[in-house]
Amino acid sequence: MMKKKYTDLKNVSDVVISTRIRFARNLREYPFPCRLSDENKRKVANIVKGAVLDGHSAISNRFDYIQMSELTQEEAVSLVERHLVSPEFISERQGRGLLLLDDESVSIMINEEDHVRIQVISQGMKLEETFDLADKIDTLLDEQLNFAFNDKLGYLTQCPTNIGTGMRASLMLHLPALKESGAMSKIAASLSKLGLVIRGTYGEGSEPSGAIYQLSNQVTLGISEREAINNLRDIAFQLVTQERNAREALSQNIHVLDMIYRSYGLLLYARLMSNDEAMKLISHLRFGVEMGLFENIDFDTLNRLVIEIQPATLMKNIGKKLSPNERDHIRAELIRTAITQQKIPASHRLEK
């Protein structure tokens, strides 16, 4: 049987991994980044950098400025793996900058698709708190940067789909049971009719890795930020309920239980582990934790592992380039160490 705590919508950490709020903004005095000269890109970067670092906010001195063109490929890709920037942001790094808070909860991309992309990330489902922080940063910057705004349309953005609030609110969800049951394509089609979209782990154009999906609002025009957040929350709760029901249906399936325990064994004893295999097996293990099969392993450990084992982040943390075989060896060791530190009992009881 499923544990009772997973029937409570006040605690949805078994499904919701993280919350992200992103605002797209542009400076009124400059063309969109696609039309900016290299010189004007530098000007925009310096203006935004100064507004943040020289501002009077209590967190101004906690930001570091990163010139994207000075990063190695591994450092740049690691930012994507840690969900701090978009894949598009590192595709062309010249003239682009990043302001990153010391705890990595806030990142401000400069000269991506828009002049400014304010992003705030929180662990778990914290839509209101995350929005409030993003909104405060947005208000502080608007006072100094004079964002492009139209009384009828709202905030002006390079892509018409962002015009209006310019806000994307998203939740990172782990949906292994719905994926296993083959329901995701039908769910995606239904969500599009409700003004939401569900995508892969790294957003638009990406595939779900380890059954991790990104659910976000699609409508930004003619709707307030609060309305978009409330809609996202309501739909997320429905998905949480559907996922839990699907888990309940699979909880007595011997093939699913065998898959989970085999995955645990591989994670615990393998000496080589590719990233794709690791993501799949960690997803299975998390599935088991969500179903109450493992009592002494926590979601935070698994969430951290999912980031630390990514190829570029792994090399960044090690401090040198590694061959695929070396990465696979170190990845397996990282996973094994993290799991054994959780002190999981050697034997597990199958639910009757």
Side-chain angles (χ1 to χ4, degrees):
M1 296 293 293
M2 300 285 287
K3 291 191 174 182
K4 282 188 177 180
K5 66 178 180 178
Y6 293 146
T7 65
D8 184 3
L9 288 178
K10 292 181 180 179
N11 177 14
V12 294
S13 60
D14 57 308
V15 178
V16 183
I17 298 173
S18 62
T19 301
R20 185 193 72 173
I21 301 291
R22 189 215 71 196
F23 288 128
R25 300 290 187 256
N26 287 281
L27 278 60
R28 187 183 297 273
E29 298 84 0
Y30 290 87
F32 292 132
C34 64
R35 297 178 56 202
L36 279 179
S37 64
D38 290 342
E39 180 181 355
N40 280 335
K41 284 183 179 179
R42 286 191 292 270
K43 287 182 179 179
V44 169
N46 286 330
I47 291 170
V48 177
K49 174 185 174 183
V52 174
L53 299 184
D54 301 331
H56 301 295
S57 169
I59 63 172
S60 291
N61 61 356
R62 292 176 54 197
F63 278 96
D64 284 326
Y65 180 73
I66 300 170
Q67 188 71 42
M68 292 301 296
S69 60
E70 297 177 358
L71 297 183
T72 65
Q73 181 66 10
E74 288 77 20
E75 290 171 334
V77 174
S78 176
L79 292 172
V80 176
E81 292 174 348
R82 285 141 60 202
H83 301 283
L84 300 175
V85 303
S86 64
E88 195 280 332
F89 188 62
I90 69 168
S91 63
E92 173 51 60
R93 288 181 268 152
Q94 196 64 38
R96 291 177 170 173
L98 176 69
L99 286 152
L100 186 61
L101 197 64
D102 52 11
D103 64 0
E104 299 191 347
S105 62
V106 181
S107 56
I108 301 174
M109 290 174 275
I110 306 173
N111 290 328
E112 196 226 32
E113 184 177 77
D114 297 287
H115 294 143
V116 180
R117 288 282 178 97
I118 302 165
Q119 176 180 281
V120 179
I121 295 179
S122 302
Q123 295 303 306
M125 188 168 180
K126 298 177 181 176
L127 282 166
E128 287 77 12
E129 300 96 317
T130 309
F131 172 80
D132 287 343
L133 178 54
D135 188 49
K136 288 177 182 176
I137 295 172
D138 177 44
T139 300
L140 288 169
L141 290 181
D142 193 18
E143 292 173 354
Q144 301 182 64
L145 298 177
N146 190 25
F147 290 144
F149 185 85
N150 180 276
D151 289 338
K152 291 184 179 181
L153 296 176
Y155 288 101
L156 304 180
T157 58
Q158 180 172 311
C159 182
T161 60
N162 288 322
I163 288 176
T165 62
M167 184 192 78
R168 283 284 186 269
S170 63
L171 297 170
M172 199 73 74
L173 309 174
H174 186 232
L175 304 172
L178 288 175
K179 182 180 180 182
E180 186 75 17
S181 64
M184 290 309 301
S185 58
K186 184 178 179 180
I187 288 173
S190 298
L191 288 173
S192 65
K193 300 174 184 178
L194 300 172
L196 288 98
V197 61
I198 193 161
R199 293 170 170 148
T201 310
Y202 295 100
E204 187 173 1
S206 67
E207 294 295 321
S209 181
I212 296 175
Y213 295 84
Q214 195 177 112
L215 174 71
S216 62
N217 67 297
Q218 200 168 25
V219 178
T220 60
L221 185 62
I223 185 173
S224 71
E225 291 96 335
R226 294 292 182 182
E227 289 172 325
I229 285 174
N230 289 338
N231 189 35
L232 177 63
R233 183 196 303 105
D234 291 344
I235 298 301
F237 281 153
Q238 291 183 38
L239 284 176
V240 167
T241 300
Q242 290 179 45
E243 170 65 20
R244 288 171 172 173
N245 288 341
R247 290 177 198 165
E248 182 72 32
L250 294 172
S251 64
Q252 301 302 311
N253 186 314
I254 189 63
H255 298 289
V256 172
L257 294 172
D258 182 67
M259 174 189 74
I260 290 170
Y261 283 109
R262 283 177 182 271
S263 297
Y264 169 62
L266 284 170
L267 290 169
L268 192 59
Y269 294 109
R271 263 45 186 178
L272 291 172
M273 185 77 64
S274 71
N275 189 58
D276 287 344
E277 182 183 21
M279 288 295 290
K280 180 179 71 174
L281 297 179
I282 290 174
S283 175
H284 294 165
L285 177 58
R286 185 185 173 103
F287 192 5
V289 174
E290 291 160 354
M291 292 170 64
L293 301 178
F294 301 89
E295 297 179 354
N296 298 309
I297 191 165
D298 59 76
F299 295 128
D300 289 342
T301 296
L302 298 180
N303 294 344
R304 175 175 53 80
L305 268 178
V306 164
I307 299 299
E308 290 183 352
I309 64 171
Q310 299 304 311
T313 299
L314 193 152
M315 288 188 286
K316 170 186 169 294
N317 291 340
I318 292 294
K320 64 178 181 179
K321 286 184 175 293
L322 300 168
S323 69
N325 192 67
E326 288 173 326
R327 291 200 302 268
D328 291 352
H329 175 65
I330 294 173
R331 182 179 293 110
E333 184 177 351
L334 281 173
I335 294 169
R336 188 167 62 253
T337 300
I339 291 178
T340 54
Q341 285 178 346
Q342 294 293 300
K343 299 179 181 178
I344 299 177
S347 61
H348 304 281
R349 176 178 57 84
L350 286 176
E351 297 292 339
K352 300 296 184 182

